[in-house]
Amino acid sequence: MAFIKLNHITRSYKSGKSIINALDNVSFEIEKGDFTVILGPSGSGKSTLLNLVGGMDFPTQGEIIVDGSRVETLNERQLTKYRRENIGFVFQFYNLIPNLTAFENVDLANRLSPNAHNSREIMEIMGLKDRMRNFPAEMSGGEQQRVSIARAICKNPKIMLCDEPTGALDSTTGKNVLITLQEMAKYYGNAVIVVTHNTAIASSADRLVRLKDGKVESITNNVWPELIENVEW
Amino acid sequence: MKYLVVKTYRDLMKNWIQFVAVFIMTVLSVAIYAGMEGVWNGLDYVVQNYYQTANMADARIFSSSINESEIEQIRELHFVDDVSSSMVFSTILDNHEIENSMIRIRTLNIDDRIAIPIVQTGSEIAYNSNNGIWLNTEFAREHSIETGSHIILAFQSFSKEFEVIGLVFSPEYIYYPGSIAETVPNHRRYGYAFISEVAATEFVGGVAHNEVRVIFNDDQNIALDEFGNIFGSYYLDTILEIDTISANQIAKEISQMRIMAQMFSFVFILLALLTMYTTMSRLIRNQTVTIGLLKALGMSNTRIRMHYCLYGIIISLAGGWLGAFLGGLILSPAVIRVKEVTLTLPVWEIRVSYTTYMVMALITVVCLFSCLIASWKRTREMPAVTMRGEAPQRNKKSRRRYECKYELAIDFSFEWQWIFRDIKRAKLRAIIGVIGIVGGLVLLIAGLGFRDSINYSNAYVFNVQYSYVDKLLLNNLTPEDRTLLETQFDDHQWLFDTRARFETVSHHRNGLLRVLDEGDFIRFQDINQFDIPLPHDGVLLNRRFANTLGVERGDQLDIQIIGTRIEFTVDVVDIIYSPAPQGAFMSKDYFESFGIPFLPTAMLLGDSYEDDLLRNIESVQNKVRIVDQKNDMDIMSQSVMTIIALLIMASVILSVVILYNLGALNFVERYREYATMKVLGFYRREITLLMLRETVLTLLVGTAIGIPAGFWFLGEYIAIVAFDTFDWIPSVNTVSLVIAQGVVTLCSIVVTLILGNQIRKINMVEALKSGE
């Protein structure tokens, strides 16, 4: 059975008298170690999909099965535990805690997970050795995003969910961030899901899911995904 | 601009919790001031009105003999406008009770134009009535006497039946405790009345004037010595009307209310200022982009600042008007109920003056300025600058320490790191949190401590200081009666109480002079509460009394017994702890060493005796049971409890409002951080615990400052509100301290838990959507 299985997922929102389907009967599967890219224009339902897998939202219909467990049936406390032990989030706007230094932001996540990696090692791997004692406001956007990724990785999550991780970064920094994420999937065997509207990285994904108007437009499996450093941005 | 007004309205609605906090504090501060001012201003107005109606004297002269010629000489003095004389004497109401009621009589004649009583019911004053009496209303009410009732009065061996033909009020008796040893007016025991000289002649066989009332003209060169020259050896004393017990008490009560109102209003205005500033700072910080946008649209800084000032103006004006309304509606009647215990007025009025409106204006200006200050910096900067955010400040020293003890610092736990840095980053917010705790504790300790202090002081006087059971009040004690009393009551102590004038080089004050014979029914303790004997070579003074005279141990003091020409100088041997009665205490031997005979005015008894034993002893004027004295004090204390309840209520509101506001402010500011923590997998309990840690820290700091500050405030507060005749001893019992701390702690924790519960409602998806 696939590590992540989305089975006929629909997520609807009421808007006045009408109902809007942010996701409409979406089904696909993701395996461990996959670097999955979900591609689609604005409003296609990418972030909604990520939130559902991440246990931050409930589907209106359908099943989300992660590592054999039905996520949509979990209660609030079980969902918290699910996020705590299984999910690493990377946000477009980093969402670091401004009062904590880079190291403390990472170490904070480290304390949550029973199988966490060493915070310092992860930061060194992320090239943040010299920025450990800096507060987020003292760092550039790229550095903050790397801290955000380090925080996600440090928990040693089974799934890394990245919502437009390069959206607020310049091309070089964005590329470096994606390289890191791709490597994480390979080295640590995480299922990395990256939501983006940047078509340039489509060729680098192990699995490419294209969404349009809340529906799966296509699913492509790349047997030989291109390395991100070789991608023309 | 229309849309700025719409924006203001929506911002107010969105941030209503923070603005409600400012609003409540504005309401409280104006309500307290207006409520108190309504009473003192109304009291002053009513009293002045009565003074004018009654044509009050400027001075009273006491002389043992007054004739027409002397009155004319006074009238001729350059500073005198009008003069009248009368006979004043104390009578006993014959109502077949051993606990007699005393009525102070003043005679009136056709020429009397000064300090005329105001008739409330019944006949107008008739100067030729031979058996009519005009009795004071409260005394009549206590004895169920109405107009048309008959009463029998006794004076020495004289007795006469009178018909009550009018019930009156005299502004000379607004505060009338009846006796120098009493603190609280007792309308059942002490009354006053007016009779014509015709009736007085029938009653006591003639009229011998002993009091002169004088009204001064505009001449500023008032020479009181002239009175002494006119009356010669018969002259006793002159007292200006403003120095009488009644006028003094009114002035003191007005001054007390004014100071209380100023103290409490000041605290609340300060808190309103701080809350307004933090609320506006936060609002403006969150609207940095909006400010930039408004500027980009071409709006001037002045207009943007005016827009933000509007918040302060709206809130403070609304709160001010509501406060003024509630002050008059709730606080003023409560304060009047307290004041009615000591002051007797036929009608009380609530009148606020322009100062209340000035306080409202002050609050508006304060709020306006706090908005202006908060908006000033942000409107000067461009959004691009402010949007980058501010890193927590870290000086070189702390960086070094951090580097040296890096591991240790990390082990200090991220929660505490976070809290400490947050305090550093938002100092004012942290200070307001501490002020909220300190303010709540101070007000609660003051409120509960005030009650404890009154109870403690009453208990001290009646349980520690006095150990007698009954007190016999004596009048013109004859040697025969003295022997009789000594024979009948073994366990006794003689007392001589008199009103005296105490004078040092720089100060003078009237008070009680108490001379004690052998006995141990009155215990004296020094200010450290160690028992001390009554000295035989000097006097003991109460602490408050000594302070007002500026006297210390070892100093000398001149004493003149009022109503006599007896004067002597004494040494102050020690200062005593006793809260009441306020005055000087000396032994019979020391008193007699000045050549003054000891004529007891009271006898303390160690046991309760049958009233029959006293019935035929002429000199016994009254019997006062210590239980009744204590009850009288408790009644007065109970009346003060209304104010205390209001004080405690205000403290609790303050604690809740400040702490909730602060908690809500923290929550809103950290909403995104809490959402991140939720996404990372923090349980709600863990986030709530983080919030609780900060609460505990604030509580610890607030308590460390609040408890000593509470004790200090209570001491100052009591020093201001205590009466000159009863000096309450500041005291807070453990239960009150636990309650005060408990209320503040509970409020803080409950507020934190309520806000902690809000974490459940954080929408992670929405919260983390954008960096804005």
Side-chain angles (χ1 to χ4, degrees):
Chain A
M1 191 180 182
F3 180 58
I4 301 170
K5 185 174 183 181
L6 276 76
N7 216 358
H8 304 293
I9 292 294
T10 298
R11 180 67 174 100
S12 310
Y13 298 98
K14 275 188 181 174
S15 175
K17 287 181 180 176
S18 59
I19 292 175
I20 295 165
N21 286 334
L23 286 175
D24 189 1
N25 198 24
V26 171
S27 298
F28 64 88
E29 293 176 356
I30 294 171
E31 294 297 340
K32 266 190 180 176
D34 271 1
F35 181 70
T36 305
V37 172
I38 299 174
L39 208 60
S42 185
S44 59
K46 307 185 296 289
S47 295
T48 307
L49 187 67
L50 212 60
N51 293 334
L52 290 172
V53 176
M56 285 162 67
D57 200 2
F58 290 102
T60 314
Q61 279 181 357
E63 292 175 336
I64 303 167
I65 300 164
V66 175
D67 204 8
S69 300
R70 294 264 302 271
V71 175
E72 85 281 359
T73 59
L74 301 178
N75 63 24
E76 193 201 325
R77 191 172 174 79
Q78 288 166 330
L79 273 177
T80 305
K81 191 170 187 291
Y82 165 73
R83 287 196 300 271
R84 192 178 181 122
E85 293 174 1
N86 298 294
I87 306 294
F89 267 101
V90 178
F91 302 96
Q92 182 179 358
F93 294 102
Y94 335 126
N95 291 319
L96 299 175
I97 292 170
N99 275 342
L100 299 181
T101 60
F103 178 82
E104 288 159 358
N105 264 286
V106 175
D107 203 45
L108 170 71
N110 172 286
R111 291 166 190 231
L112 291 174
S113 178
N115 309 310
H117 295 298
N118 182 288
S119 310
R120 190 165 304 183
E121 274 178 22
I122 295 292
M123 291 198 76
E124 283 174 11
I125 290 169
M126 295 300 294
L128 293 163
K129 191 179 174 185
D130 299 329
R131 307 298 270 161
M132 287 195 197
R133 281 167 248 140
N134 286 97
F135 288 104
E138 296 169 337
M139 301 167 83
S140 70
E143 285 170 331
Q144 287 189 57
Q145 192 60 295
R146 274 191 281 153
V147 175
S148 172
I149 293 168
R151 181 176 66 184
I153 294 167
C154 189
K155 281 169 73 181
N156 193 13
K158 292 173 184 164
I159 307 165
M160 289 266 286
L161 301 173
C162 314
D163 192 358
E164 299 278 10
T166 59
L169 305 175
D170 63 78
S171 57
T172 313
T173 316
K175 212 170 186 177
N176 289 337
V177 164
L178 284 172
I179 290 167
T180 311
L181 288 170
Q182 195 178 40
E183 285 173 352
M184 288 303 131
K186 282 194 182 124
Y187 296 145
Y188 292 105
N190 305 122
V192 177
I193 304 175
V194 176
V195 155
T196 182
H197 58 261
N198 185 354
T199 51
I201 60 169
S203 58
S204 305
D206 294 314
R207 193 181 303 262
L208 176 69
V209 180
R210 286 180 188 273
L211 290 180
K212 192 178 180 186
D213 297 331
K215 291 180 179 171
V216 176
E217 195 178 49
S218 66
I219 298 173
T220 312
N221 292 321
N222 287 331
V223 182
W224 301 106
E226 201 168 346
L227 288 175
I228 289 171
E229 46 262 57
N230 299 331
V231 170
E232 276 302 312
W233 207 258
Chain B
M1 196 175 196
K2 181 187 164 190
Y3 287 107
L4 283 186
V5 175
V6 172
K7 177 180 171 296
T8 305
Y9 169 76
R10 288 186 184 146
D11 283 343
L12 286 173
M13 290 297 111
K14 193 177 168 191
N15 300 281
W16 67 272
I17 290 176
Q18 282 80 54
F19 286 113
V20 159
V22 181
F23 179 75
I24 288 175
M25 268 171 276
T26 312
V27 170
L28 281 175
S29 96
V30 176
I32 289 172
Y33 192 87
M36 295 273 192
E37 205 230 354
V39 178
W40 93 62
N41 202 40
L43 173 64
D44 196 29
Y45 175 80
V46 170
V47 167
Q48 291 309 324
N49 260 357
Y50 281 123
Y51 279 5
Q52 213 166 9
T53 311
N55 195 29
M56 285 288 278
D58 289 319
R60 266 182 259 178
I61 306 158
F62 303 93
S63 177
S64 52
S65 170
I66 298 167
N67 58 41
E68 272 302 315
S69 147
E70 288 157 347
I71 296 296
E72 283 312 308
Q73 284 182 58
I74 292 173
R75 199 184 302 281
E76 293 303 314
L77 290 171
H78 62 93
F79 56 89
V80 171
D81 189 44
D82 200 0
V83 61
S84 73
S85 63
S86 55
M87 180 168 81
V88 178
F89 58 106
S90 290
T91 63
I92 292 169
L93 175 72
D94 187 356
N95 57 355
H96 308 292
E97 289 174 13
I98 190 63
E99 288 183 27
N100 287 322
S101 296
M102 298 170 73
I103 299 176
R104 195 159 172 79
I105 300 282
R106 179 184 152 196
T107 62
L108 295 171
N109 64 51
I110 194 76
D111 296 324
D112 269 336
R113 291 172 299 275
I114 304 175
I116 299 299
I118 297 160
V119 178
Q120 293 185 273
T121 55
S123 309
E124 287 302 311
I125 305 292
Y127 299 99
N128 54 0
S129 171
N130 62 351
N131 71 339
I133 189 166
W134 290 266
L135 192 60
N136 78 301
T137 310
E138 288 70 30
F139 184 86
R141 191 185 304 128
E142 288 289 326
H143 290 268
S144 306
I145 297 170
E146 296 170 351
T147 49
S149 302
H150 285 79
I151 57 171
I152 298 170
L153 295 185
F155 173 71
Q156 294 176 0
S157 58
F158 304 103
S159 173
K160 180 175 166 57
E161 184 172 331
F162 288 91
E163 182 189 351
V164 178
I165 56 174
L167 298 179
V168 295
F169 156 73
S170 168
E172 282 186 344
Y173 293 90
I174 290 173
Y175 172 68
Y176 182 53
S179 155
I180 181 70
E182 300 281 351
T183 311
V184 185
N186 183 331
H187 298 304
R188 178 158 185 85
R189 198 173 294 150
Y190 300 103
Y192 58 88
F194 300 84
I195 58 173
S196 72
E197 292 201 342
V198 179
T201 307
E202 283 193 11
F203 182 14
V204 294
V207 175
H209 289 185
N210 55 358
E211 271 189 28
V212 176
R213 283 171 176 74
V214 177
I215 293 178
F216 298 139
N217 56 27
D218 294 336
D219 195 331
Q220 298 296 311
N221 300 317
I222 296 164
L224 298 179
D225 292 347
E226 295 281 354
F227 301 136
N229 297 336
I230 291 169
F231 291 108
S233 60
Y234 296 110
Y235 175 75
L236 297 174
D237 199 13
T238 299
I239 185 161
L240 294 173
E241 201 58 45
I242 51 167
D243 289 335
T244 59
I245 301 174
S246 179
N248 250 326
Q249 186 71 18
I250 294 165
K252 173 78 182 167
E253 302 253 8
I254 288 174
S255 152
Q256 272 179 9
M257 283 187 272
R258 183 176 283 135
I259 294 167
M260 273 173 72
Q262 284 166 353
M263 278 172 81
F264 282 102
S265 297
F266 174 75
V267 170
F268 284 109
I269 290 173
L270 187 72
L271 291 170
L273 168 102
L274 291 171
T275 317
M276 191 76 197
Y277 178 73
T278 44
T279 304
M280 286 308 295
S281 294
R282 188 187 64 79
L283 183 87
I284 289 163
R285 189 164 63 242
N286 291 344
Q287 294 194 356
T288 306
V289 176
T290 311
I291 292 170
L293 185 66
L294 293 173
K295 287 175 76 166
L297 287 170
M299 209 170 275
S300 68
N301 280 348
T302 312
R303 175 160 255 183
I304 297 169
R305 283 167 194 157
M306 276 172 63
H307 160 64
Y308 286 109
C309 286
L310 196 62
Y311 296 80
I313 295 170
I314 291 172
I315 297 295
S316 54
L317 276 182
W321 282 107
L322 183 66
F325 174 72
L326 291 179
L329 191 75
I330 297 168
L331 194 71
S332 293
V335 175
I336 286 174
R337 275 198 293 282
V338 175
K339 297 297 162 195
E340 278 174 338
V341 175
T342 46
L343 305 178
T344 309
L345 283 172
V347 177
W348 286 79
E349 268 192 44
I350 299 167
R351 290 176 74 91
V352 291
S353 75
Y354 67 94
T355 57
T356 290
Y357 301 107
M358 280 177 67
V359 169
M360 286 164 65
L362 175 71
I363 292 174
T364 307
V365 170
V366 158
C367 287
L368 189 146
F369 266 97
S370 55
C371 294
L372 193 63
I373 295 164
S375 63
W376 197 268
K377 191 183 166 195
R378 294 282 163 178
T379 46
R380 270 196 321 185
E381 290 170 350
M382 290 307 291
V385 178
T386 47
M387 275 170 68
R388 287 174 60 184
E390 293 168 26
Q393 289 175 359
R394 190 167 57 188
N395 57 30
K396 285 178 183 173
K397 194 178 166 189
S398 69
R399 181 188 283 266
R400 274 202 302 277
R401 194 180 66 226
Y402 194 83
E403 283 166 1
C404 293
K405 300 178 179 176
Y406 187 65
E407 292 300 332
L408 185 69
I410 295 300
D411 287 344
F412 196 47
S413 98
F414 92 94
E415 291 94 340
W416 287 114
Q417 302 272 19
W418 183 355
I419 290 163
F420 290 138
R421 286 188 194 134
D422 208 53
I423 289 169
K424 240 177 165 182
R425 191 178 61 162
K427 290 188 193 76
L428 191 63
R429 197 177 61 195
I431 289 168
I432 288 193
V434 172
I435 287 175
I437 303 285
V438 172
L441 267 176
V442 164
L443 290 177
L444 279 167
I445 289 173
L448 295 168
F450 190 30
R451 184 198 60 181
D452 291 347
S453 304
I454 292 172
N455 291 340
Y456 175 78
S457 304
N458 289 354
Y460 181 87
V461 171
F462 294 105
N463 298 342
V464 177
Q465 182 174 299
Y466 293 153
S467 54
Y468 60 86
V469 174
D470 285 346
K471 180 180 177 182
L472 303 181
L473 298 179
L474 311 169
N475 189 29
N476 296 323
L477 180 66
T478 59
E480 297 77 28
D481 282 353
R482 184 169 181 162
T483 311
L484 191 62
L485 285 165
E486 276 178 332
T487 318
Q488 286 195 345
F489 309 115
D490 287 341
D491 197 11
H492 71 267
Q493 183 175 10
W494 295 106
L495 282 189
F496 170 66
D497 281 349
T498 185
R499 190 166 165 76
R501 178 185 167 88
F502 298 85
E503 197 165 339
T504 62
V505 178
S506 52
H507 298 79
H508 69 86
R509 207 191 129 175
N510 292 345
L512 169 78
L513 173 66
R514 174 167 283 178
V515 184
L516 298 98
D517 197 358
E518 294 295 320
D520 53 6
F521 288 128
I522 299 180
R523 182 175 166 188
F524 296 101
Q525 291 188 321
D526 65 13
I527 48 173
N528 298 315
Q529 283 188 270
F530 290 115
D531 284 343
I532 49 170
L534 186 65
H536 292 283
D537 54 353
V539 297
L540 301 174
L541 293 185
N542 304 76
R543 184 172 42 181
R544 187 180 181 89
F545 195 72
N547 283 345
T548 53
L549 281 169
V551 172
E552 292 175 356
R553 282 171 67 167
D555 288 350
Q556 286 203 320
L557 192 60
D558 294 327
I559 300 177
Q560 185 217 336
I561 297 175
I562 289 176
T564 73
R565 298 177 76 86
I566 298 168
E567 287 179 83
F568 49 98
T569 303
V570 296
D571 294 314
V572 177
V573 173
D574 215 333
I575 308 297
I576 56 168
Y577 189 70
S578 164
Q582 289 285 315
F585 304 84
M586 63 197 293
S587 70
K588 178 192 161 200
D589 296 344
Y590 187 53
F591 185 67
E592 286 180 334
S593 72
F594 296 103
I596 314 161
F598 177 75
L599 297 168
T601 55
M603 185 189 207
L604 306 180
L605 302 177
D607 211 342
S608 193
Y609 296 93
E610 289 296 318
D611 289 349
D612 288 344
L613 291 171
L614 302 165
R615 201 165 291 283
N616 297 319
I617 304 173
E618 285 282 322
S619 307
V620 177
Q621 203 173 46
N622 216 337
K623 187 182 88 171
V624 181
R625 296 188 309 154
I626 197 162
V627 181
D628 294 337
Q629 281 184 299
K630 190 170 188 307
N631 283 344
D632 287 348
M633 284 311 300
D634 288 342
I635 289 166
M636 193 210 70
S637 308
Q638 282 305 316
S639 69
V640 181
M641 296 304 166
T642 318
I643 293 286
I644 292 171
L646 284 170
L647 203 66
I648 292 170
M649 205 172 73
S651 322
V652 173
I653 291 174
L654 176 79
S655 306
V656 172
V657 165
I658 288 270
L659 297 173
Y660 191 81
N661 178 44
L662 184 82
L665 200 67
N666 274 344
F667 189 81
V668 171
E669 288 195 350
R670 292 176 177 168
Y671 191 78
R672 195 176 173 82
E673 294 168 34
Y674 292 146
T676 305
M677 289 175 81
K678 261 189 100 172
V679 172
L680 287 174
F682 275 84
Y683 292 112
R684 186 161 56 86
R685 184 177 52 83
E686 290 172 317
I687 303 175
T688 308
L689 273 173
L690 179 75
M691 294 163 80
L692 273 174
R693 279 179 198 235
E694 185 161 7
T695 306
V696 168
L697 187 69
T698 312
L699 267 171
L700 285 175
V701 177
T703 303
I705 302 168
I707 289 181
F711 277 92
W712 171 82
F713 187 81
L714 176 67
E716 293 297 308
Y717 178 60
I718 281 182
I720 290 167
V721 300
F723 295 109
D724 281 345
T725 48
F726 203 111
D727 177 26
W728 291 310
I729 303 163
S731 169
V732 185
N733 66 37
T734 315
V735 175
S736 298
L737 209 54
V738 169
I739 290 173
Q741 184 66 60
V743 167
V744 172
T745 306
L746 196 71
C747 283
S748 311
I749 289 174
V750 167
V751 162
T752 309
L753 293 178
I754 289 170
L755 291 167
N757 200 38
Q758 303 283 315
I759 290 165
R760 191 200 303 270
K761 295 177 187 167
I762 290 178
N763 184 333
M764 291 173 279
V765 179
E766 289 299 317
L768 302 174
K769 253 184 182 172
S770 148
E772 277 301 295

